[in-house]
Amino acid sequence: MAVLHDPLRSPPIGFAHRGARAHAPENTLEAFELALRLGATGLESDVWLTADGVAVLDHDGTVGRLRRRRIAELRRDELPDHIPELAELFASFGTDFELSLDVKDPAAGAEAVRVAMTADVTMPDRLWLCDDDVDRMLGWREISPHVRLVDSTRLARMPHGPERLAARLKAAGVDAVNLHHGDWTGGTVTLFHRFKILAFGWDAQFDRILDGLLTMGIDGVFSDHVDRLVDALDRDRRRREGAPATDDPA
């Protein structure tokens, strides 16, 4: 049996990637509502800014089938109805959940913090903004010192190795590092934990991957399959409490 490593964050956050993407149209209010109903403790999406300055949730930042246009070039009222505003997410479901936003549009980061603060002054403490530019992320702390910052990267993009990166993130005050599940090992999780950096893993779609990450002591995990995610978190809780996990996958 694999050795259980303790997470820094207990229990780990279960992020529903693009909402309950495996069960409903991604990045829609329907998908987010279903994810929360199924038991996800966190939601994940990508945030973009429209031409008139509205923060909206979409994956690739373009719309249209025949003629693709960038969200940044369009007003909010020119977007398809299925694309929600960030403010609509909070208005529909409140703020009692963790929210991870991949800031693919650099202009959207500051507005995302403002919208979160307008919805709930405590929400920045549960708002995890993901980017690969540490200096840009630190600028968002000028709006709220409580917003959570996540370095999204890969092992292959660490020219000086993970220990050097962990030290840099610690010095900058970044909260977490987000890697593909294939980049994580128990040793790498432990290394980042030594610097008090939380470890997040994405693209965890199958039981064996979910269980493996949680056994390593991961602090947050992203999955399209919210049912599998919730079950895996329950198995992990039972293992750590010493209760029989009878539903462990074979």
Side-chain angles (χ1 to χ4, degrees):
M1 179 180 293
V3 175
L4 284 176
H5 295 265
D6 292 331
L8 287 180
R9 171 101 182 200
S10 184
I13 306 169
F15 288 108
H17 183 237
R18 305 185 203 170
R21 185 189 181 208
H23 317 281
E26 66 179 44
N27 289 317
T28 60
L29 292 179
E30 176 189 358
F32 296 129
E33 189 276 334
L34 180 57
L36 293 172
R37 183 151 48 87
L38 290 173
T41 54
L43 301 176
E44 186 276 346
S45 189
D46 308 277
V47 62
W48 304 83
L49 209 61
T50 64
D52 51 347
V54 179
V56 297
L57 306 177
D58 184 67
H59 176 54
D60 61 9
T62 60
V63 298
R65 294 183 177 178
L66 298 178
R67 183 190 174 200
R68 303 294 288 175
R69 298 185 66 187
R70 295 172 59 243
I71 284 176
E73 300 170 346
L74 300 171
R75 299 187 312 273
R76 170 65 180 117
D77 61 9
E78 295 178 292
L79 297 182
D81 292 339
H82 71 269
I83 296 180
E85 297 178 23
L86 177 57
E88 287 181 282
L89 180 73
F90 295 131
S92 298
F93 311 120
T95 58
D96 190 21
F97 54 86
E98 308 287 330
L99 178 62
S100 173
L101 294 178
D102 195 349
V103 188
K104 292 182 177 177
D105 177 358
E111 182 62 15
V113 180
R114 295 188 189 100
V115 171
M117 291 182 66
T118 300
D120 181 344
V121 293
T122 72
M123 187 62 208
D125 190 55
R126 299 183 296 283
L127 179 64
W128 303 83
L129 296 183
C130 304
D131 199 348
D132 60 359
D133 188 319
V134 171
D135 292 333
R136 182 163 59 218
M137 287 194 292
L138 292 175
W140 302 330
R141 284 254 169 89
E142 296 176 5
I143 303 168
S144 170
H146 304 293
V147 68
R148 305 290 190 154
L149 305 180
V150 184
D151 183 25
S152 289
T153 186
R154 295 294 304 265
L155 277 179
R157 298 206 301 264
M158 301 179 195
H160 303 294
E163 186 165 10
R164 182 77 66 86
L165 176 64
R168 180 183 177 223
L169 297 181
K170 174 66 174 178
V174 173
D175 298 280
V177 62
N178 188 25
L179 303 179
H180 186 266
H181 72 81
D183 286 340
W184 284 117
T185 66
T188 309
V189 173
T190 299
L191 185 154
F192 279 98
H193 281 178
R194 181 157 51 87
F195 288 87
K196 305 303 181 186
I197 303 296
L198 298 179
F200 288 175
W202 58 275
D203 194 25
Q205 311 301 355
F206 303 102
D207 288 334
R208 62 178 177 79
I209 294 172
L210 288 160
D211 289 337
L213 286 172
L214 293 167
T215 297
M216 293 174 196
I218 211 80
D219 302 290
V221 62
F222 298 81
S223 181
D224 300 345
H225 298 270
V226 180
D227 51 348
R228 299 176 189 172
L229 173 63
V230 171
D231 287 347
L233 287 166
D234 185 60
R235 285 194 297 273
D236 184 65
R237 177 186 61 80
R238 288 174 174 271
R239 280 193 294 267
R240 293 178 188 279
E241 292 176 351
T246 56
D247 56 346
D248 272 339

